[in-house]
Amino acid sequence: DTEVTQTPKHLVMGMTNKKSLKCEQHMGHRAMYWYKQKAKKPPELMFVYSYEKLSINESVPSRFSPECPNSSLLNLHLHALQPEDSALYLCASSQSAGDYYNEQFFGPGTRLTVL
Amino acid sequence: GESVGLHLPTLSVQEGDNSIINCAYSNSASDYFIWYKQESGKGPQFIIDIRSNMDKRQGQRVTVLLNKTVKHLSLQIAATQPGDSAVYFCAENKGRNAGNMLTFGGGTRLMVKP
């Protein structure tokens, strides 16, 4: 299985809602990533988990809260978002993070709209 | 042709022609450079990478050229097909001291005319 899956595909939420994005991989990868991609822009790194521990937080607002329950799963909990948070949220995984370069595999993304 | 402002730079080619997509990078310490293809509604898909100690690498129908003197990277696609239509991003791997994180370039939209 060489796939990263993400659910849901689309999500519409109000500014007072709480929702979660989910990501799963079964490649045995020990690094997982969240990226945010606005329209016509490149992906921007948000968080990195390495061996289920948060290793990088790129100064992301606290209304985004990542969680890595186990080595195959990555969640992004959303609370009190703003309309400007509307974007495509991409999950990626790689064999490891930090020590050397290795290929990142991306999921299809969750298209988030905040009303 | 190329469009500026709020639009992605766009390259329009005829089916069967060769395409060249360019990218400038900024960090001399980057040790790998990667090209990704992103089709509409999908996540980025790895195409090819090149290590900083190389100047050329070939894959199936694709060639990446690296010019470290001018910090320039290009992706050549031979015999471009309609299925090659997508947005192409270059990315640089920042090296071990930066946690081997990727930074993506701005992207170029490739449109293939049948």
Side-chain angles (χ1 to χ4, degrees):
Chain A
D1 185 354
T2 58
E3 215 182 20
V4 176
T5 58
Q6 290 187 244
T7 55
K9 271 184 86 75
H10 302 276
L11 178 63
V12 179
M13 61 186 291
M15 288 189 283
T16 58
N17 292 158
K18 279 187 184 180
K19 297 285 185 185
S20 296
L21 309 185
K22 296 187 183 302
C23 174
E24 192 165 357
Q25 56 85 17
H26 295 287
M27 294 179 275
H29 289 172
R30 303 312 300 269
M32 296 186 77
Y33 310 77
W34 280 115
Y35 287 83
K36 174 182 178 179
Q37 187 177 25
K38 300 282 279 183
K40 296 184 172 59
K41 296 289 187 183
E44 293 179 343
L45 183 66
M46 300 173 73
F47 301 105
V48 181
Y49 272 83
S50 180
Y51 293 88
E52 293 129 69
K53 288 186 170 40
L54 183 64
S55 62
I56 292 180
N57 176 340
E58 291 285 279
S59 304
V60 179
S62 60
R63 56 186 185 269
F64 295 92
S65 175
E67 180 199 15
C68 190
N70 60 56
S71 60
S72 300
L73 293 174
L74 185 67
N75 299 323
L76 186 63
H77 303 298
L78 314 172
H79 174 51
L81 294 196
Q82 304 295 311
E84 59 264 29
D85 296 322
S86 298
L88 181 69
Y89 287 84
L90 293 161
C91 175
S93 71
S94 65
Q95 282 190 324
S96 67
D99 292 335
Y100 52 86
Y101 161 72
N102 48 103
E103 182 184 339
Q104 290 186 25
F105 293 79
F106 283 82
T110 293
R111 175 77 57 193
L112 175 68
T113 303
V114 182
L115 301 176
Chain B
E2 186 175 293
S3 58
V4 297
L6 296 177
H7 302 284
L8 282 171
T10 299
L11 176 66
S12 187
V13 299
Q14 203 68 41
E15 181 179 358
D17 287 352
N18 297 336
S19 303
I20 301 176
I21 300 171
N22 297 304
C23 178
Y25 66 91
S26 56
N27 189 345
S28 301
S30 294
D31 60 354
Y32 276 90
F33 301 88
I34 309 103
W35 281 101
Y36 283 91
K37 172 186 180 183
Q38 188 172 24
E39 296 174 273
S40 181
K42 296 185 178 179
Q45 178 188 1
F46 174 92
I47 301 173
I48 191 168
D49 59 16
I50 186 168
R51 195 169 178 177
S52 59
N53 62 356
M54 301 170 67
D55 51 24
K56 181 179 179 178
R57 188 167 186 220
Q58 286 184 287
Q60 188 178 15
R61 274 202 313 120
V62 295
T63 301
V64 56
L65 299 178
L66 176 63
N67 185 331
K68 292 182 286 296
T69 304
V70 294
K71 295 184 185 170
H72 183 267
L73 187 68
S74 69
L75 178 71
Q76 300 177 1
I77 304 174
T80 315
Q81 301 168 359
D84 295 326
S85 294
V87 177
Y88 289 80
F89 292 101
C90 63
E92 44 182 317
N93 185 73
K94 296 281 193 177
R96 184 174 183 165
N97 290 340
N100 283 297
M101 294 300 104
L102 293 183
T103 298
F104 284 81
T108 297
R109 183 181 303 281
L110 177 65
M111 295 175 60
V112 182
K113 295 177 286 189

